[in-house]
Amino acid sequence: MKTYFKTVGRMFQKHIVRIISLFAIVFIAVGFVSGIGSSSEMINKSVTDYYKAQNVSDLIIKSTDGIFTSEQVEAVKQLYGEDNVQTGLSLDIETTENRSMRVYFIDIADFKINVPELIDGSKIENGDDAIFAYAERSDNVIKGYSVNDDVEIDLGDAFKLPFEYKLKVKIKGIVQSPLTFAKDGEPSYNNPEDAVIPDNIADIYKMDLLDNILYVSTDLSSMIPVGDIYVKLADRDLFDAFSDGYKTYVEEQKGIIYQMLGDGVRIITLNDNYSFKSIIASASKVRAIGDILMAIFLAVTILVVLSSMMRLMDEDRSQIACLKTLGYSSYSIVFRYILFSLVPLVLGGVAGYFVGLGLTWLIGNGVFNYSYVMPPVSTFVNPAYFFLSAFVIIGITVFAILFLGLRLTNDKPANLLRPKAPKSGKKVFLERIPFIWKKLSFKYKSSFRNVFRYKGRFFMMLISVAVSSGLVFAGLALLDMCLFSDFGSGAIVGIAVVVVIFAGLLTAVVINTLTTINISERNREIATLMVLGYTDNEVCGYIYREIYINTVIGILFGYPVGVGLATLIFKTIGFGTVGGVSWFMWLAVPFIVLAVTAVVTLLLRRKIVKTDMNASLKAIE
């Protein structure tokens, strides 16, 4: 056993670069899957907690003629409880074309429902001498006011009075209402009741939006009627907010209210509120994007991990033969490789958990802040996504090592001690095009022959680079549709940036891992070139040319992969087309992938030029 564990230790020492590569790719994949997979649930939970903490109304009942009788108000309070009902009046007063100012007349000193957060100024108390108001904080559409500003409100047209009546109020505080936390504009009541809120931000800005919101004290109650009733449903905690059960419950309550108050009311539910509806829709789109890309990330990761481990076992054929002759069983020999793979995979998975946690924090507190004044976000990683991604990678890898390893170790030691016969050279397709082939120099002819000579190595590199390039294109296409074409929201823009970054990182690790394996397999070949007098630059060029040929071919095949992914994403989230992607995004894909490849090849130059000629040439002996 002492000898056995010595061989295991030497394996770890010899292949430290391979261990780092395996760690890195699992680190990235598990981190991406855990973070993206958990983000939708995190946003939904945070918004639900906020809705409960601020006592956001489930129903806003508006009188179509602007006045509720005291009997109607009392009937609603009897049904839902006085503590769950608050009355007031809200008016949307047109200020300019497609812009209105909303004015709430409500008991500001005693908010029971839709409690705003005071972020500047001081609290308004009952009995203040002047007529004070709170103003909503400014955002992308709401202009906002400052503390101590004097504001004149034209109520003549709002109340359809036959004379001019202007109310002067002083801003005493700036607030953030839990009803209006979207930054891209809150639709006005002046829009038709059946108006559909578009995904395209440019079209949203064409709607009638609120450019200011004021909350005025109801010390004017003698002249201001009750036009709104805000209701917090007593049994809402029995359901998850925005769930199908909650929606059914709300619809039942709407039916009860219509029966009790008649048809002269308009009922606005939580799901009709633009801020809540928008953020939940954005979270759902993030989830949809993640569901598509998570599978791709895992597939590439598994492909590269398996390629690395299979080639490692193939490199160790002679050592496997020695262990067999010493009496070690096939299972004990294969267990060495399982142990070798488990160390970087498990460590990479654990580290990936923290990457996922950081990614959820970035999405909740950074990405979504582009479009929303975010409520407190409790970042977490859904264990299901973390364990699923980690177990899928580890499980498939262990099974493949066991299956293929046992098949390899069951061969006779004499066969394993003999190196595999080199594959015979064959004509490549370019040789059948004399016009091109005859113009290539010998070194390029040699590179093309080497690329296509080892078909397994070639297709592994081709598939990995093609899928990685496709991920880069899909991220860039989504970014282009959201950012440059004004589709979607800032949250989707942020997710597109995250996808591009992680796709770039995945591409870097994939190319680095496969190139490192390629170099380690060809130490004897590299040493032979050095013995023949090739300079460092010539030896590196010999290897680099093959890498770049593989990468360019992978990029070309990456375009149809990327088009397919982007099309699937656009159909899933409901906007954007591949045809609408800007031309420079198409050109950015090879630039990004080739730039990553250039960095990788430069980092691997030292590994090539430091090849030990004596050790490599005597390896077979």
Side-chain angles (χ1 to χ4, degrees), residues 241-389:
F242 313 105
S243 66
D244 291 338
Y246 173 80
K247 292 176 183 177
T248 302
Y249 174 52
V250 167
E251 288 301 315
E252 291 173 355
Q253 299 306 308
K254 283 174 64 176
I256 294 172
I257 292 169
Y258 281 129
Q259 289 180 357
M260 182 172 60
L261 300 181
D263 295 330
V265 296
R266 176 184 176 185
I267 301 177
I268 301 170
T269 69
L270 185 66
N271 288 288
D272 296 323
N273 176 281
Y274 174 68
S275 292
F276 282 97
K277 184 177 181 179
S278 173
I279 195 171
I280 295 300
S282 293
S284 297
K285 289 174 182 176
V286 170
R287 172 70 177 273
I289 295 168
D291 286 345
I292 295 169
L293 298 183
M294 285 187 292
I296 305 299
F297 265 78
L298 288 178
V300 174
T301 300
I302 292 168
L303 184 67
V304 174
V305 169
L306 290 180
S307 174
S308 180
M309 292 308 302
M310 295 308 103
R311 292 189 185 188
L312 173 60
M313 287 192 290
D314 206 43
E315 291 173 23
D316 284 356
R317 286 167 57 88
S318 60
Q319 192 172 77
I320 290 172
C322 291
L323 290 172
K324 281 182 69 72
T325 57
L326 291 173
Y328 289 98
S329 68
S330 295
Y331 283 100
S332 63
I333 295 172
V334 173
F335 182 74
R336 296 166 69 244
Y337 298 98
I338 292 176
L339 181 62
F340 180 88
S341 67
L342 284 177
V343 171
L345 296 188
V346 171
L347 290 178
V350 172
Y353 173 88
F354 295 100
V355 173
L357 191 63
L359 185 54
T360 56
W361 182 90
L362 176 64
I363 292 171
N365 295 283
V367 168
F368 273 79
N369 266 331
Y370 284 111
S371 296
Y372 307 96
V373 179
M374 287 302 295
V377 177
S378 301
T379 57
F380 62 88
V381 169
N382 186 331
Y385 284 99
F386 169 68
F387 286 113
L388 175 66
S389 57

Side-chain angles (χ1 to χ4, degrees), residues 391-579:
F391 284 164
V392 164
I393 295 171
I394 294 172
I396 293 178
T397 301
V398 170
F399 176 79
I401 292 173
L402 187 63
F403 177 76
L404 297 175
L406 289 176
R407 191 172 69 174
L408 179 65
T409 54
N410 284 333
D411 201 355
K412 295 178 180 179
N415 293 334
L416 293 172
L417 283 169
R418 297 189 191 99
K420 280 187 174 181
K423 292 197 174 184
S424 58
K426 293 181 180 179
K427 282 189 175 183
V428 299
F429 73 95
L430 283 177
E431 293 186 59
R432 305 180 191 280
I433 311 175
F435 175 75
I436 298 176
W437 186 253
K438 288 180 180 179
K439 292 189 176 182
L440 294 176
S441 63
F442 171 77
K443 61 183 181 181
Y444 283 104
K445 288 179 179 178
S446 173
S447 295
F448 276 110
R449 281 173 175 157
N450 279 338
V451 166
F452 296 107
R453 184 181 181 186
Y454 299 98
K455 292 184 174 57
R457 182 193 299 162
F458 168 70
F459 282 112
M460 186 68 68
M461 188 78 166
L462 174 68
I463 294 170
S464 300
V465 174
V467 176
S468 299
S469 302
L471 285 169
V472 172
F473 176 82
L476 290 173
L478 182 61
L479 179 63
D480 182 71
M481 283 292 102
C482 296
L483 192 56
F484 299 107
S485 303
D486 286 327
F487 278 98
S489 67
I492 307 301
V493 172
I495 292 301
V497 172
V498 169
V499 170
V500 172
I501 292 172
F502 271 80
L505 290 173
L506 183 69
T507 303
V509 176
V510 165
I511 293 175
N512 178 73
T513 303
L514 296 179
T515 303
T516 302
I517 295 170
N518 189 2
I519 293 171
S520 65
E521 284 181 337
R522 302 174 68 183
N523 278 343
R524 184 177 177 83
E525 189 177 348
I526 293 169
T528 302
L529 294 175
M530 289 178 171
V531 170
L532 292 174
Y534 278 61
T535 65
D536 289 349
N537 288 338
E538 287 172 335
V539 173
C540 290
Y542 180 80
I543 300 296
Y544 287 172
R545 278 190 296 275
E546 295 178 26
I547 296 171
Y548 282 103
I549 290 170
N550 275 314
T551 302
V552 169
I553 296 173
I555 291 170
L556 294 177
F557 279 92
Y559 276 111
V561 173
V563 168
L565 283 175
T567 301
L568 185 58
I569 289 171
F570 290 147
K571 285 184 177 180
T572 302
I573 63 178
F575 65 80
T577 60
V578 172

